[in-house]
Amino acid sequence: MADLETPVPGVEVDTADAATHDGAIQVLRRGLQTTPELLQGLLATALIGVAVAIGQISIPIVIQLALDRGGLTSGEVDTGVVLRLVLMAFGVLVATEALALIAKRRMIVRAEASLRRLRVLAFDHVHRQTLSVHNEQATGVMISRVTSDVDSLSRFTDWGLFVWVVEPIVVLCIFVAMAVYSWQLALLALVSFLPVFVAMRWVRTRMALAHDERRTAIGNLLGAFNESLTGAEVVRAYNAQHRTQKRLDTVSEVRYQKGLKANLYMSGVYVIGDLVGAVMLAAVLLVGVTQREALDLSSGSLVAIMFLITLLLTPIAELGETINTAQEAVAGWRKVLDLLDQPIEDLDPETGVALSAGALSIAANHVAFDYGDGVPVLRDVSVELPAGRRIAIVGETGSGKSTFARLLCRLADPTSGSIMIDGVELTDVAGDARHRAIRMVPQDGFLFDATIRENISFGRADATQADIDQAIDLLSLEAWVAGLPDGLDTPVGERGSSLSVGERQLVSFARAAVADPGILILDEATSSVDPQTDLQLTRALDRLAEGRTIVSIAHRLSTAESADIVLVFSDGELIEQGGHDELVLAGGRYAELFAAWTADIDHTA
Amino acid sequence: MATNDDLGVDDTKPTVRAGVRLVRTLLRPHIPPFATSVIGSAVFAAGTVASATALGWITDRVVIDSFEGDIAGASAVTAAALIIAIAIVRSLGVVTRRYFAGMTAERVERSTRQALAQQYLSQPMSWLRRASTGRLVAHVDSDAKVLTHSLHPLPFSFGVLFLAIFSGVRLVIIDPWIALIALFLFPAMTVINSLYSRFVEKPLAESQAEVATVAGIAHESFEGALIVKTLGRRQAEVERFDAAADNLRARRQQVGFIRSWMDIFRHSLPQVGILVVLLVGANRISSGSMSPGDIVEIAALFGALAIPMLVFGFLLESLIPSVVAWNRLRPVIEAPIPEVPKQIGRPEGPLEVVVDGVSFAWASAPDDIVLDDIALTIAPGEMVAIVGSTGSGKSTLCAAIAGVLDDVDDHVIVGGRALQDFHPADRAEAIAYVFQEAFLFAESIRSNIDLDGDSSHESVVMAAKVAAADEWISSLAQSYDTPIGERGVTVSGGQRQRIALARALVRDAGLVILDDATSAVDTVVEQQILSHLRSSTNATMVIVANRLATIALADRVVHLVDGRIGATGSHDELLENDDYRELVMAYAEAGDG
C-alpha cells in the first residue's frame, strides 16, 4: 500500500499540510468577497430563520400549555382551550412556513447566481494565467476547478445552505425558550451542549484534511485518465495497456482509500450531536425532577423543556446530515478560490496604449526568461527590428527561439528586460490592440470543434464574410476549400481531428490573415505541410507580408534566405544577426547551417 | 458540440422507477456492506422509537408522578441511564449505517472506474474515435460520482420503512384512534414525495445535461488555451462558457423552487400531525384511554420523522441524475470488447508489408474518402518514402499499416500475417510507429522511451543516441529520470519528437513507420538521425517525407494523390511524372528563386 502514496510526476500533488489551509470561516469570508450576492441572500435568509424557529418552538409551548392549562395532567380536560391552542399553533405554523418559502426562493436565486459567477470567474482566471502555469498543470485538474469543484459547492447550496443558516438560529431560539421556562435548566443544557463544539472542532480539522486529500486524489485521477485517452493511439501502437492500466488502477485505488477515510469521519460526526443530546436530556431530567421545588417548575414546563431538547436534536442532526456536503463544499470552494488567488502576470493595463495600424517595429532590451524553475531559457537578448522587415529566427531545438517568439506576443513576460513594440513597452499596450496587431501562428494548429468558417472568423471578433473570403483568396486556398465536403461549413471535429495536421495549419493561417496584424509571428508553422502546399503558403505569405513585420521561425533555411534579417539563437543567446549573405560570408554558425541545407538541395536536384 | 460523438446514450427515461431498477443492479455485487448498512439503519429506527417510548414513560412515571408528590429520585436516575443507553445503541446504528453506506457507494464508484479503464484501454481506436475525450473523462469523474449519489441516502430511506413499522406497532398498542392519524400521515408523505419526484424529474434531467455541456466547453477551451491566448479570444470564450453556465443556473433554480415546496411539507407535516394528536389526544385523555405521556411519546415519534423525510427527498432527487449518468455510462461500460488473437510471438527480421486494397473514410465524414483502394507491397528491408500533398492521406496510410486504424486490419498483411491476427503485444514488438505529433506520458524520460520497463539502460541510451536525444537528455540534472509534464509541454517540439523516436527504436522492430516524425527537428539533425537509423537497423521502413534529402534516402517513393497511389518508383523515375516533379521540386525551385 505504501507505494500508493508515491507522487505521480506531472499531476497535482497535495504537499500542503492542514495547518497551512484556510479554515472554513476564512474560506467563507473569501468566498463571500468573491461573490457578494451570496451574502445578500444569506442575510435575508437569516432574518426569516428567526420566524422559522418561532414556528418550531410553538409546538412544545402548546404542549406545555395544554398539559398545564388544558388540564391534561390533572385529567379534567378543557377541550375548548386545547382546540384554541392547536388552532393558534397551526396559524403560526402556516405563517412561518410561508415566510420560509419566500426566504428559500430568494436564497436559491442568489445562490445560483453566485455559483454561475464563480464558475465563470474561475474559467476566466484559467485563461488569464500565464503560459508557464498552463504548462505545469494538467488540463484535467483545471477542468475540475470549473466543474466538479463548483458542483460540490452547488450540492451544498441545494441541501445544506438553508440548514446551516437557519438551524443555528433555531438552536439559539430553543435555548431562549428553555430559559423562559427555567434559566437554571437552560444553563445546565447549554453547559452539557458545549462538548459538541469541542468534539466538532476536533473532527472538523481532520475531516477537512481528509476531504482535501480526496479532492486531490480526484484531480490525479482525472489527469491519469485524460492522459490515457489523449495518448490512446500511442498506448495501442506500443501495447502500453498494462502499464497504463496499472497507473489507472493506482489512482482509482488511492481515490477509494481517500474516500473511505473521509467517510469514516463523516460517519462519526452525526453521532456526536445525538449522544450529547441524550446527556443533556438526562441531566435536565435528573436535576428537574429532584430540584423541581427549588426551581419552581410545573410538570408541563419540565415536559416542554424536555421536548425542546428533543427539538434540538433535529437541527443538530440536520447539520450533521449535511456536514458531509458542507465539508466537500468548503474543500471545493477553497480550491476554486485558491485558483482565483493565483497571480495573473499578464494583466492588461487599465488604459492601455493603442498601436498604430500597419507594420510595427520590435525592440528587445536585455531580455531574459525562465519558466519559473530557474533554468534560463533566454539570456540577455537585445535586438532592434525595424518595421516592415521579414525576420527569420533560426537555431537548434531548445535554443530559445520559440520562447522568444512567445514573448513577442506576450504569452509570457520577460523575467527581466523589456520588449518594445513601435516604441511602446509591450506591457503598456492595451490587450485588444495587442491581439489585433501582433498575431502568432503556433506549431500546434489547435482548432475549435466548429466549422472551418467559424474557426477562421475566431481570428477577429468582427470578421465579416468578405474578410474571410479575402483571407482565403490571399492564401490561395479556394481550391482546397472547394474540395471539402461542405466547403467552409465543413465541421473540423474535436481539436480539428477531421482535418489533417497540414489542413489544420491552413485554417490557422487563414485565421491569422483575417486579423490583418502589423506583426505576424510564424512559429515553425510550416513544418507539417508538404512542399507544394508550403510553396503555396510561402507565396501567399509574401503577399501577406506586404506592409507587415514578419517574424518566422522555420527549420528550413529557405525562409531565412529570403528574410531581410536573420537572428541566430543558440542556448538561449542571440549569437548572430544580420542579412543572409552577410552571415554566410561571416562563416559562423549560420554559415554552417546553410551549408548543410544547400547540400540537401544539391543532393537531389 | 458532439460532432463525432456517436457512442450513443441510453434513452431510459429518467424516472424514480428506473432509478430503483438501476440501484438494484448497482448493489448486486456489493451486498455485504450494503446489508450491514441497512441493519445499522434498522437499529437506528428501533432506537428512535425506543427513545420516544422512553420519553412517554418518563413523562408519566417520572415527571408527572413526581409532581404529584411521589418522590422519585431513584427512578429519575434510572430514566437518565435509560436515555443514555438508548442513545448509545442508536448512535452505533447510525455509525454502522453511514460508514457502510459510504463504503458501498465508494465501491460502486471504484468498480465503475475500473470498468471504464478496462474499456478505454481495451477498445480499438475506431471505438474511441466515436466519443469525445471530454465525454470519456466526464464518465470517470462526475458520472461515476453522480451514479452513486443515491446510494448514500438509500439505507436511511430503508430506515424510514423500519421507523414506520416500529412506530406503527407502538401506536396501535397506545391507541387505535391515534394510529389512524399516523395511517394518514405516512401515506401523505409518500404522496408528497411521489408528487415531488414527478415534478422534479424533467428539470433535473435537463440540468444534468447542462452540466455535461459546461464540462465540454471547459475541456475544449482549456485544451486550446494557447490559441485562445494568441487569438485574444478569452472574452469570447468566457461569454460562450457564461451562456452555458447561465442555462445551468436557470435549470438549477427551477429545481430549487420545486424543492422549496417539498421542504415546506416535509417540515410542517409532522408538526401538523403533532397538533392533531394533541387535539384527538385531549379527548382520549378525558375519556381515560390515554395518558399525557402517550401524547409526548407520539409527538416525539412524529418529530423524529422530519429527518428521514429530508433524506427520502434527497434519495428521490438523486435517483434521477443517477439514471441520466447511467444512460451515459452504459453504452461505454457495456460495449463488447473485441476478442484478441492469441499471442504467438512476433514475426522476426525485416518484415514484408502487403496493403491489399485498402479504402478508408473517417466515421465523422463518410463521404470524404481518405484512402481509395490502396494496393502496395513493400519488400522486407525496403525503405519506402510516402510523398503527397497535404490531405492526400499520408498519415492515414501510415496509421493503416501500423494497425491503429483497425477498420482495415484484415487488408494489411505484415510479415505474412494479417494485422487482425496479431496479438497487440506481438504487433507492438513487430511494428514501431512514430506519430506526427509526439505524445509523451507525464512520467520520466526513461519510462517514456522504455514503456514496458524491461529494456536495459544501455539499450535506452543507444536508442536515444540514434534519435539524437542522448546529448540533450544527459545534460539534464536528472538525466533519463527527468520527469515530463502532461503531454511533455515543458519539452520543446523537437525534443518531444526525438524522445518519441527513441521509444520506437528501443524495441528493435521489423517494421518502422515514421509519420513526418522529425518535422520539428532541424535539417542537419534530421539527416543525422536518418542516416544513423539506416545503418543501425535493417528493418523495413515506411517514412512520410517532405524533404528532398529524406526522399533521396528511400529505395522507393510512393506518391499519394487524393488517397490513391498516383505513381510509385524510384525518385528519379518519378521525376518523369509532372505532378510529382511539381510537388517535390517545389523546394528546389523556391530555393533557386
Side-chain angles (χ1 to χ4, degrees):
Chain A
M1 272 334 210
D3 65 339
L4 294 185
E5 303 295 331
T6 315
V8 188
V11 274
E12 189 186 40
V13 178
D14 204 355
T15 46
D17 59 23
T20 63
H21 278 314
D22 276 358
I25 300 293
Q26 282 94 321
V27 170
L28 182 69
R29 191 181 306 137
R30 281 163 65 201
L32 290 178
Q33 274 167 6
T34 311
T35 52
E37 57 267 44
L38 188 59
L39 185 65
Q40 297 165 1
L42 291 185
L43 288 178
T45 310
L47 281 176
I48 299 171
V50 179
V52 174
I54 292 168
Q56 295 221 340
I57 294 165
S58 65
I59 298 292
I61 294 174
V62 164
I63 290 179
Q64 177 260 323
L65 290 175
L67 286 173
D68 287 347
R69 297 197 195 156
L72 292 190
T73 3
S74 56
E76 292 145 23
V77 178
D78 185 338
T79 40
V81 171
V82 175
L83 181 64
R84 269 203 301 283
L85 285 170
V86 166
L87 286 179
M88 260 165 55
F90 186 74
V92 171
L93 202 62
V94 169
T96 54
E97 289 296 344
L99 272 178
L101 183 68
I102 295 165
K104 241 177 213 182
R105 287 179 165 237
R106 207 181 136 79
M107 190 196 73
I108 288 164
V109 171
R110 296 286 149 81
E112 290 304 331
S114 64
L115 282 176
R116 167 200 175 189
R117 218 156 73 79
L118 186 66
R119 222 186 268 276
V120 175
L121 280 174
F123 179 88
D124 188 31
H125 200 88
V126 168
H127 277 306
R128 280 176 189 268
Q129 281 178 308
T130 55
L131 209 61
S132 48
V133 176
H134 281 281
N135 287 348
E136 283 160 16
Q137 290 192 346
T139 311
V141 172
M142 291 196 283
I143 295 168
S144 69
R145 290 293 169 275
V146 300
T147 55
S148 59
D149 287 330
V150 178
D151 290 341
S152 68
L153 190 55
S154 72
R155 265 194 301 283
F156 175 66
T157 61
D158 284 352
W159 289 100
L161 189 54
F162 192 77
V163 170
W164 281 72
V165 175
V166 168
E167 299 300 4
I169 298 170
V170 171
V171 170
L172 192 72
C173 291
I174 288 174
F175 272 111
V176 170
M178 267 194 256
V180 170
Y181 285 114
S182 161
W183 65 266
Q184 295 95 334
L185 286 185
L187 194 66
L188 178 68
L190 190 64
V191 169
S192 43
F193 190 62
L194 288 179
V196 172
F197 293 109
V198 181
M200 283 287 197
R201 227 186 139 72
W202 187 85
V203 175
R204 209 182 51 203
T205 44
R206 273 151 192 81
M207 224 163 91
L209 186 64
H211 273 289
D212 239 40
E213 284 178 6
R214 209 188 57 157
R215 292 222 67 82
T216 303
I218 293 173
N220 291 341
L221 184 82
L222 287 180
F225 269 87
N226 199 38
E227 185 185 84
S228 78
L229 288 168
T230 43
E233 285 194 331
V234 174
V235 168
R236 276 155 189 73
Y238 288 86
N239 193 41
Q241 278 92 338
H242 288 293
R243 67 197 302 281
T244 311
Q245 176 91 53
K246 246 196 327 211
R247 169 110 191 268
L248 296 184
D249 283 350
T250 307
V251 289
S252 290
E253 186 59 32
V254 172
R255 165 67 190 75
Y256 172 72
Q257 296 295 346
K258 297 294 181 200
L260 269 195
K261 192 173 158 195
N263 180 41
L264 184 65
Y265 289 113
M266 261 141 50
S267 312
V269 160
Y270 174 91
V271 173
I272 297 170
D274 210 10
L275 284 175
V276 171
V279 170
M280 205 191 290
L281 196 60
V284 165
L285 178 70
L286 213 53
V287 175
V289 168
T290 53
Q291 309 294 317
R292 65 185 187 283
E293 273 153 17
L295 295 171
D296 190 23
L297 276 177
S298 70
S299 59
S301 303
L302 184 55
V303 169
I305 290 176
M306 285 169 57
F307 204 87
L308 282 169
I309 291 175
T310 62
L311 270 191
L312 213 48
L313 294 183
T314 306
I316 295 174
E318 287 199 355
L319 289 171
E321 213 37 67
T322 48
I323 201 163
N324 165 23
T325 43
Q327 288 288 1
E328 280 185 29
V330 168
W333 208 0
R334 181 188 295 124
K335 298 227 168 194
V336 178
L337 293 172
D338 283 349
L339 166 71
L340 290 177
D341 277 352
Q342 281 176 21
I344 347 171
E345 285 165 30
D346 63 345
L347 199 62
D348 288 327
E350 295 254 328
T351 49
V353 181
L355 290 171
S356 52
L360 301 167
S361 69
I362 302 168
N365 306 317
H366 305 287
V367 166
F369 184 77
D370 68 72
Y371 280 103
D373 50 7
V375 181
V377 182
L378 289 176
R379 303 172 226 241
D380 196 29
V381 175
S382 292
V383 66
E384 295 214 4
L385 305 166
R389 305 297 172 86
R390 297 196 66 155
I391 298 112
I393 309 184
V394 296
E396 297 211 327
T397 312
S399 62
K401 55 183 175 177
S402 293
T403 302
F404 183 67
R406 288 180 164 196
L407 296 188
L408 293 185
C409 50
R410 214 174 168 212
L411 285 172
D413 282 336
T415 320
S416 67
S418 66
I419 290 169
M420 317 281 280
I421 301 295
D422 198 24
V424 182
E425 183 119 14
L426 183 55
T427 48
D428 294 335
V429 174
D432 290 349
R434 189 183 72 236
H435 292 310
R436 187 69 198 272
I438 309 170
R439 189 48 66 89
M440 180 185 215
V441 180
Q443 297 178 6
D444 170 22
F446 182 95
L447 300 184
F448 293 91
D449 189 0
T451 64
I452 291 175
R453 184 194 308 281
E454 285 167 306
N455 268 291
I456 294 176
S457 70
F458 288 158
R460 198 176 99 202
D462 55 354
T464 63
Q465 183 51 45
D467 295 329
I468 294 171
D469 289 342
Q470 205 183 341
I472 299 271
D473 186 43
L474 194 59
L475 299 177
S476 308
L477 298 180
E478 299 93 336
W480 174 68
V481 170
L484 293 166
D486 290 313
L488 280 177
D489 293 315
T490 307
V492 303
E494 196 186 352
R495 286 181 65 92
S497 58
S498 317
L499 302 182
S500 73
V501 175
E503 287 171 319
R504 269 178 253 168
Q505 285 190 347
L506 292 180
V507 177
S508 52
F509 267 56
R511 189 161 60 184
V514 84
D516 192 19
I519 297 175
L520 186 64
I521 299 162
L522 307 166
D523 183 6
E524 290 191 350
T526 57
S527 61
S528 295
V529 183
D530 64 84
Q532 203 172 33
T533 312
D534 187 40
L535 185 66
Q536 181 185 22
L537 282 166
T538 310
R539 286 178 181 152
L541 284 171
D542 277 341
R543 273 176 281 165
L544 186 61
E546 205 70 32
R548 288 180 228 286
T549 311
I550 305 284
V551 180
S552 310
I553 308 161
H555 47 86
R556 278 191 305 274
L557 295 192
S558 57
T559 322
E561 207 181 358
S562 58
D564 303 318
I565 302 167
V566 179
L567 305 180
V568 185
F569 276 78
S570 177
D571 200 18
E573 286 180 77
L574 176 60
I575 55 165
E576 289 171 29
Q577 57 171 303
H580 166 77
D581 297 337
E582 190 186 329
L583 289 181
V584 169
L585 284 176
R589 178 79 186 112
Y590 182 77
E592 261 175 55
L593 288 169
F594 186 72
W597 180 71
T598 334
D600 180 9
I601 299 248
D602 293 345
H603 190 76
T604 43
Chain B
M1 291 304 300
T3 46
N4 54 356
D5 187 317
D6 67 344
L7 283 183
V9 172
D10 262 26
D11 55 358
T12 309
K13 229 174 136 218
T15 58
V16 170
R17 190 184 296 265
V20 172
R21 268 200 308 272
L22 168 64
V23 162
R24 220 181 291 148
T25 318
L26 292 180
L27 285 180
R28 208 162 289 139
H30 305 284
I31 294 297
F34 181 70
T36 314
S37 179
V38 171
I39 290 169
S41 188
V43 171
F44 168 76
T48 302
V49 174
S51 67
T53 307
L55 207 59
W57 177 80
I58 289 165
T59 305
D60 284 345
R61 297 281 161 267
V62 184
V63 179
I64 294 178
D65 282 1
S66 76
F67 281 78
E68 281 162 3
D70 193 355
I71 298 301
S75 61
V77 173
T78 316
L82 186 66
I83 288 169
I84 290 175
I86 291 173
I88 289 173
V89 172
R90 224 159 68 121
S91 299
L92 284 176
V94 172
V95 172
T96 309
R97 186 198 76 219
R98 293 190 65 112
Y99 184 71
F100 286 95
M103 183 186 275
T104 311
E106 292 287 349
R107 287 200 178 170
V108 171
E109 262 189 65
R110 185 177 58 176
S111 32
T112 305
R113 293 198 178 103
Q114 283 166 346
L116 287 171
Q118 174 83 22
Q119 290 289 348
Y120 293 175
L121 295 174
S122 309
Q123 288 290 355
M125 275 316 292
S126 51
W127 182 88
L128 274 187
R129 283 192 199 101
R130 286 161 57 197
S132 71
T133 311
R135 168 179 173 169
L136 297 180
V137 172
H139 286 339
V140 176
D141 183 36
S142 58
D143 286 337
K145 209 163 147 62
V146 170
L147 186 67
T148 61
H149 267 169
S150 47
L151 300 180
H152 288 279
L154 188 60
F156 204 168
S157 305
F158 272 87
V160 178
L161 199 69
F162 291 119
L163 206 58
I165 294 168
F166 296 155
S167 52
V169 171
R170 262 310 289 165
L171 289 170
V172 172
I173 293 171
I174 296 170
D175 189 284
W177 286 104
I178 298 288
L180 273 180
I181 298 171
L183 215 58
F184 165 76
L185 200 60
F186 281 107
M189 287 186 173
T190 316
V191 168
I192 288 166
N193 277 326
S194 75
L195 274 178
Y196 170 62
S197 57
R198 188 191 303 165
F199 280 119
V200 91
E201 271 172 355
K202 193 166 165 274
L204 257 186
E206 285 170 355
S207 95
Q208 194 64 25
E210 212 57 53
V211 166
T213 309
V214 165
I217 293 176
H219 190 267
E220 183 183 46
S221 194
F222 291 170
E223 291 263 299
L226 175 66
I227 297 291
V228 171
K229 260 183 204 298
T230 54
L231 294 183
R233 277 192 61 78
R234 178 173 58 78
Q235 205 50 48
E237 285 295 288
V238 169
E239 277 160 27
R240 182 163 79 109
F241 185 76
D242 189 41
D246 191 38
N247 270 338
L248 177 59
R249 181 200 60 77
R251 298 273 181 278
R252 287 181 44 84
Q253 183 172 305
Q254 198 182 350
V255 173
F257 280 4
I258 298 169
R259 186 187 300 123
S260 63
W261 276 107
M262 150 89 176
D263 276 353
I264 295 294
F265 289 111
R266 169 178 75 78
H267 236 251
S268 56
L269 207 57
Q271 293 184 325
V272 170
I274 291 171
L275 290 176
V276 175
V277 166
L278 199 59
L279 204 57
V280 177
N283 285 307
R284 305 295 294 162
I285 288 174
S286 66
S287 70
S289 46
M290 254 177 85
S291 73
D294 291 337
I295 291 190
V296 170
E297 178 182 350
I298 295 160
L301 271 182
F302 283 3
L305 283 177
I307 298 174
M309 279 286 283
L310 170 80
V311 175
F312 206 74
F314 186 72
L315 171 69
L316 286 176
E317 235 188 64
S318 55
L319 283 174
I320 309 295
S322 289
V323 174
V324 175
W326 182 241
N327 279 347
R328 284 157 52 79
L329 280 166
R330 197 170 166 200
V332 173
I333 284 185
E334 292 186 352
I337 295 174
E339 225 173 289
V340 173
K342 258 212 205 85
Q343 188 167 0
I344 51 170
R346 67 168 175 189
E348 293 298 332
L351 301 173
E352 183 198 43
V353 178
V354 179
V355 180
D356 177 22
V358 163
S359 297
F360 183 79
W362 296 104
S364 54
D367 299 334
D368 190 2
I369 307 295
V370 184
L371 294 180
D372 190 0
D373 197 22
I374 300 271
L376 174 68
T377 302
I378 303 171
E382 192 180 12
M383 176 172 174
V384 168
I386 299 176
V387 176
S389 59
T390 301
S392 61
K394 290 170 293 183
S395 290
T396 314
L397 180 57
C398 283
I401 296 173
V404 294
L405 220 48
D406 49 59
D407 294 337
V408 298
D409 281 0
D410 50 340
H411 284 86
V412 179
I413 298 120
V414 173
R417 203 189 297 175
L419 282 178
Q420 63 176 0
D421 298 330
F422 271 87
H423 182 273
D426 293 342
R427 195 194 63 210
E429 278 191 30
I431 306 171
Y433 175 31
V434 191
F435 296 79
Q436 202 168 11
E437 284 172 293
F439 182 90
L440 302 184
F441 294 94
E443 292 171 36
S444 70
I445 292 178
R446 182 192 308 284
S447 49
N448 263 291
I449 294 176
D450 178 20
L451 288 179
D452 303 326
D454 52 13
S455 301
S456 67
H457 178 68
E458 287 69 32
S459 50
V460 169
V461 173
M462 186 53 75
K465 275 190 173 145
V466 175
D470 176 60
E471 200 180 324
W472 165 68
I473 296 169
S474 303
S475 75
L476 297 169
Q478 286 171 270
S479 185
Y480 281 85
D481 297 315
T482 308
I484 293 172
E486 194 196 30
R487 291 179 169 227
V489 273
T490 54
V491 182
S492 82
Q495 285 154 348
R496 282 161 57 165
Q497 285 194 332
R498 294 190 216 181
I499 294 173
L501 195 59
R503 174 193 292 159
L505 300 180
V506 81
R507 31 191 70 213
D508 193 24
L511 169 62
V512 176
I513 302 165
L514 306 182
D515 180 6
D516 207 6
T518 46
S519 58
V521 178
D522 339 17
T523 321
V524 182
V525 180
E526 183 188 45
Q527 290 311 308
Q528 181 194 330
I529 291 171
L530 290 176
S531 57
H532 258 137
L533 189 56
R534 273 300 251 175
S535 58
S536 67
T537 174
N538 58 356
T540 310
M541 289 179 63
V542 176
I543 176 164
V544 170
N546 280 332
R547 294 171 185 169
L548 279 176
T550 313
I551 296 170
L553 284 176
D555 302 317
R556 188 153 60 106
V557 178
V558 171
H559 180 209
L560 281 186
V561 182
D562 290 337
R564 289 172 165 276
I565 295 183
T568 175
S570 74
H571 174 63
D572 291 334
E573 285 165 23
L574 286 189
L575 283 176
E576 305 294 317
N577 178 312
D578 289 345
D579 288 344
Y580 179 78
R581 194 178 52 245
E582 200 176 308
L583 174 74
V584 173
M585 298 315 287
Y587 272 138
E589 284 163 23
D592 296 339

